Amino acid sequence: MSAAPPALDTTPLDTAARELKEHAASWTATALPERIALLERMLPRIADGAAATVADAARAKGYAPDSGWAAEDWITAPYALAQTIGAYLHVLRRLAAGQPPVDAKAVRSHEGRTVVDVFPAVTADRLLLNGFKAEVWTLPGTTREQVLARAAGEYRGRPGESAVALVLGAGNVAAITPLDIVHKLYAEGQVVLAKMNPVNAYLRPHFEKVFTEFIEAGWVRFVDGGGAEGAYLTTHEDIDTIHVTGSDRTHDAIVWGTDEQAEERRRADTPVNTKPFTSELGGVSPCIVTPGPWSDADFRFQAEHIVTSKLNNSGHNCIATQVLVVPREWDGTEKLLAQIRTVLRALPPRPDYYPGAADRRATVTGAHADAEILGADDCRVLVPDITDPDDPMLKVEVFASALGVVRLPGADAPAFLRAATDFANDKLPGTLGATLLVHPKTERAHRAAVDEAVADLRYGTLGVNLWSAFGFLLGYTPWGAFPGHTRQDIGSGIGFVHNAFLLEDIEKTVVRAPFAPSPRGLFTGAPSLSPRPPYYVTNRTALTTMRRMTAYTADPKASRLPGIFASALRG
C-alpha cells in the first residue's frame, strides 16, 4: 500500500496572499515618480546578479556557464528583463514629463488598419539592432484617435482597482516570471503572488534580489510548490486575478476542474473558477519559407536561423519552430534542408532537459520511419516529409528538439503564400507565434501577396525574416495569442503581457529583421549594419556579446558600445 501524500502546508501561501492584500492599496497609491525610481533602482540589481543567474540556469540545463550555449541564458534572463525595464522606463518618463506614451507620428494607417510603430524606440535601438523593426496592429475598426487616447489608461485618469494577481510561473524560460510580474504591477496596477515552477525554482533567490524593494513594501511575494499549491492559490479568497504561462491543460484544470463533470461544465460554460484569467499557452508554431532567388549564403544563413528557432533552449519554448512549411516545387527546398542537416550535425551536444522531453521525442520517432536523428547527442530529430494531415506533429506541441517538414503546392510565391497561410491558420493548433521568411526581391516583386500573408496570418506575433520569439524580448512589443480564444476553447490563451507602451485594442505584433547580415544585405536589396545576430546558435562570440549587451542595457553608457560592436562583428 502506498503512503498517503503529505498534507498541504498552506501557512506560507496564506501568509503571502494576506500580506499582499493588505498592501495592494499602497501600490495603487504609489505616485508615478516613485514607480519610475523603483525600476531605475532595479536595473543595477539585475546587472549585479546576472552572472550568478546565468550560471545557475546553465548548470540546471546541463552545460557549463562558459559554454557557448549559455549565451541564450544571458538573452532570456538578465538581458530580457533589463531590456523590458528600460522600455517601461522610456514610456513612464514620457508620461512623467507630460507627454503622451506614444508619439503621434508613430501611429499610422496601413492596409485599412491602424498600426503603431513601436521599435526602434530610442537611438540605441538603431545602433544595436540596425534594420530591426516592430509594429503593433490594432483590432479592425480601431481608429488612430482611439489608439492615442486609450494608451496608458492606468496613468491617464483611468487607474485600475487594487487587486492581488496570482502569477503561475513558467518552468522553461527564466525571464517569463519576472516579466509577468512587471506587467501586472505596471500595466495593470496589481500586486503579485508568484508561484515558482518546480523546474526552475532555483531561480527564486535571484528574483527575490531583483524585486527586493517590492518585497519589502509588500507588493510582491514568491512561493514554491507544485500542482497542489497552485490549485490551492487559484481558489484563494485573497487572490483576485490569475495569469498562467503553460499549457491548455493547466488552464482547463483551473477553470473547469478535473473531475468527471469537467467536460460537461466546459460545454455548458459553467466554470468552477470565475476569476479574471489571462494566459500564454503555446501551440504548434510554423516557419514559412517563401520561394525566391536565394544564394548559397542565404541558404546557409537561414538554415542557421531555422535551427536556432528549434534548438534555442533545447526546443523547450512555446514558440519553438515545430513545422517548417516549404514549397514542394521549389528547387531550393532540398538545398535548405541539406543546410539544416549540416548545421544540426555540427553543433556541440546538449541535452533536452525539460521533464518528459525524451518521451515526447520518442513519440515522434516512433511515428515516423523516415525520422532522422542528427547530432552527437541523439536529441535532434528531423522528419523530412509530413504528409498525413492527422500527423501528431501537426496536432501536439512537442516541446523538444524535433522539427517536421510540410511541403505545400504553389507554382509561384503568391500561390504558395496563400496555401501556407491557410495551412498555418486552419491546420495547426495555436496562435502565439509564426515566422515568415521572404527574400527582399521576392517581397518587392510580389508586394501584394506578402502583405496579404502578413495581414492574414492569425498569430499574436509574426516574425518576418525574424523568429517570432524576438518579440518576447523587446518589452515594447505586446506578447500573447491572437485574439479570439475563449475560456471554452482556450487555444494559445487570452490577453497580452509586456506592452511597455500600454496599448489597448491589440490584434498582433509584426517584427522584422534584415534577410541577410551585413554587408551581404547590400546584394539582397535590404542593407543594414547588423551582423549575424548574437542569438543564433551558430554565433561564435554570442556569449561575450550578450554579456556586454546586458551590461549596456542595464547601464547604458556610451563607453560600452565599442566593446559590443567589436564582439558582435566577430560572430
Side-chain angles (χ1 to χ4, degrees):
M1 178 181 296
S2 61
L8 182 65
D9 180 8
T10 66
T11 301
L13 310 180
D14 294 332
T15 300
R18 184 186 67 251
E19 290 174 347
L20 289 164
K21 197 74 168 181
E22 291 170 352
H23 292 89
S26 67
W27 172 247
T28 304
T30 300
L32 179 57
E34 177 57 18
R35 290 193 181 199
I36 291 172
L38 284 161
L39 292 183
E40 290 173 338
R41 295 192 294 267
M42 182 187 284
L43 283 170
R45 295 196 296 273
I46 295 171
D48 291 345
T53 302
V54 169
D56 281 353
R59 284 190 286 265
K61 296 198 292 186
Y63 45 80
D66 60 355
S67 161
W69 292 116
E72 72 184 31
D73 300 299
W74 283 93
I75 296 168
T76 59
Y79 170 76
L81 184 54
Q83 168 66 23
T84 298
I85 296 302
Y88 274 98
L89 282 171
H90 171 70
V91 176
L92 295 175
R93 287 166 179 160
R94 286 180 59 89
L95 291 166
Q99 299 174 318
V102 182
D103 193 311
K105 295 192 295 290
V107 185
R108 57 187 171 83
S109 295
H110 175 71
E111 301 291 331
R113 307 289 295 282
T114 301
V115 172
V116 185
D117 294 316
V118 297
F119 191 89
V122 297
T123 300
D125 299 335
R126 296 176 177 86
L127 292 172
L128 295 172
L129 292 167
N130 189 259
F132 286 66
K133 299 178 181 180
E135 57 193 29
V136 175
W137 290 43
T138 57
L139 293 168
T142 306
T143 66
R144 183 175 182 273
E145 292 71 24
Q146 288 170 330
V147 169
L148 292 169
R150 293 176 181 176
E154 174 76 13
Y155 300 91
R156 300 168 76 198
R158 302 191 304 278
E161 296 182 1
S162 301
V164 179
L166 171 64
V167 168
L168 296 177
N172 57 331
V173 174
I176 291 176
T177 299
L179 291 181
D180 289 345
I181 293 171
V182 171
H183 174 84
K184 282 292 184 181
L185 286 165
Y186 280 85
E188 299 187 22
Q190 301 174 4
V191 297
V192 182
L193 175 54
K195 189 196 79 66
M196 296 297 297
N197 189 294
V199 176
N200 61 6
Y202 60 85
L203 291 168
R204 176 178 170 175
H206 301 293
F207 294 165
E208 288 180 329
K209 289 177 183 177
V210 167
F211 286 95
T212 293
E213 289 188 85
F214 294 86
I215 292 171
E216 291 173 347
W219 300 327
V220 172
R221 289 288 183 271
F222 291 91
V223 297
D224 293 323
E229 287 80 2
Y232 177 78
L233 288 170
T234 61
T235 60
H236 200 284
E237 63 180 1
D238 289 332
I239 296 296
D240 301 302
T241 71
I242 302 169
H243 178 78
V244 60
T245 300
S247 73
D248 55 356
R249 298 182 300 278
T250 301
H251 167 274
D252 288 350
I254 294 169
V255 173
W256 310 113
T258 57
D259 58 15
E260 294 179 354
Q261 286 74 47
E263 181 57 27
E264 182 179 336
R265 291 190 200 99
R266 190 175 69 84
R267 288 195 299 268
D269 196 18
T270 54
V272 297
N273 192 323
T274 59
K275 294 180 181 183
F277 199 129
T278 53
S279 52
E280 188 257 79
L281 307 175
V284 175
S285 292
C287 175
I288 298 169
V289 180
T290 312
W294 292 28
S295 67
D296 289 344
D298 294 334
F299 283 112
R300 174 68 187 196
F301 182 75
Q302 293 301 340
E304 294 173 7
H305 188 182
I306 292 162
V307 170
T308 295
S309 73
K310 178 73 273 183
L311 290 192
N312 176 277
N313 203 32
S314 293
H316 309 317
N317 289 319
C318 48
I319 33 65
T321 294
Q322 181 162 317
V323 177
L324 185 63
V325 184
V326 294
R328 184 182 299 153
E329 290 93 351
W330 184 41
D331 61 2
T333 289
E334 293 307 324
K335 294 179 183 178
L336 179 61
L337 293 177
Q339 288 291 343
I340 288 172
R341 292 182 179 99
T342 298
V343 175
L344 287 170
R345 290 189 183 103
L347 287 169
R350 67 176 294 178
D352 278 1
Y353 70 89
Y354 210 83
D359 292 338
R360 293 190 295 274
R361 267 197 341 273
T363 298
V364 172
T365 55
H368 300 93
D370 61 342
E372 303 172 19
I373 311 298
L374 302 164
D377 49 22
D378 294 333
C379 287
R380 301 161 199 173
V381 179
L382 177 67
V383 181
D385 192 7
I386 294 176
T387 57
D388 182 356
D390 294 320
D391 190 288
M393 285 204 76
L394 309 183
K395 302 293 184 181
V396 180
E397 185 177 3
V398 175
F399 215 66
S401 301
L403 176 66
V405 180
V406 170
R407 301 159 192 259
L408 295 181
D412 55 19
F416 171 76
L417 284 171
R418 284 192 295 272
T421 300
D422 291 344
F423 172 82
N425 284 342
D426 301 335
K427 302 299 183 183
L428 300 180
T431 64
L432 187 62
T435 302
L436 173 65
L437 304 182
V438 55
H439 194 286
K441 292 181 180 178
T442 304
E443 184 165 10
R444 285 195 297 274
H446 304 286
R447 177 73 62 185
V450 174
D451 286 350
E452 183 179 14
V454 170
D456 290 349
L457 281 161
R458 296 194 295 268
Y459 288 87
T461 297
L462 175 65
V464 181
N465 296 328
L466 179 63
W467 180 28
S468 61
F470 205 81
F472 173 87
L473 300 173
L474 293 177
Y476 299 104
T477 42
W479 182 255
F482 192 85
H485 299 300
T486 68
R487 64 187 179 188
Q488 289 173 283
D489 183 12
I490 194 61
S492 290
I494 296 173
F496 288 91
V497 292
H498 306 183
N499 187 23
F501 281 112
L502 306 170
L503 300 170
E504 297 188 18
D505 308 304
I506 300 161
E507 182 184 72
K508 64 181 175 185
T509 298
V510 179
V511 290
R512 297 174 181 266
F515 179 80
S518 177
R520 200 162 47 79
L522 289 169
F523 304 104
T524 67
S528 79
L529 299 178
S530 289
R532 175 182 281 102
Y535 57 87
Y536 271 36
V537 293
T538 51
N539 190 295
R540 294 164 296 190
T541 60
L543 189 61
T544 298
T545 301
M546 289 316 305
R547 283 175 180 155
R548 295 174 179 177
M549 280 276 285
T550 301
Y552 174 83
T553 305
D555 183 17
K557 295 177 179 176
S559 59
R560 299 184 190 274
L561 292 173
I564 295 173
F565 297 145
S567 179
L569 290 170
R570 295 195 304 270

